[in-house]
Amino acid sequence: MNRRTPILITYEVLSVLHKFGKMNISQLCLRTRLSHQKLRMLLDTLINANFIARQSNGGSDVYVLTPKGRKMFLKLKEYIEVLAEAGLIKE
């Protein structure tokens, strides 16, 4: 099994939030195939970088992409597409 690089994992989290909008951590775990613990650590990092925001939604937290996170997602998408076209990574 190939391990995903941190940049691909970050891209995947941003991509899922871009596609689906607000999601709780359980939904994100399912969509990204990350453990709760690993995802929680990454979410905290992305929140500190202002790429995503945590919002309360009826007693549970949901995560959303910020404008800065959307910009980062679009840049990463372009970067990953170029690398995939060159055969350097699998999308």
Side-chain angles (χ1 to χ4, degrees), residues 14-23 27-28 31 63:
L14 296 177
S15 177
V16 167
L17 287 172
H18 180 261
K19 183 175 181 178
F20 295 100
K22 293 180 181 180
M23 296 188 85
Q27 293 167 323
L28 279 168
R31 295 283 178 181
Y63 299 89

Side-chain angles (χ1 to χ4, degrees), residues 26-37:
S26 296
Q27 293 167 323
L28 279 168
C29 284
L30 289 172
R31 295 283 178 181
T32 60
R33 300 177 322 272
L34 292 171
S35 70
H36 190 278
Q37 180 181 3

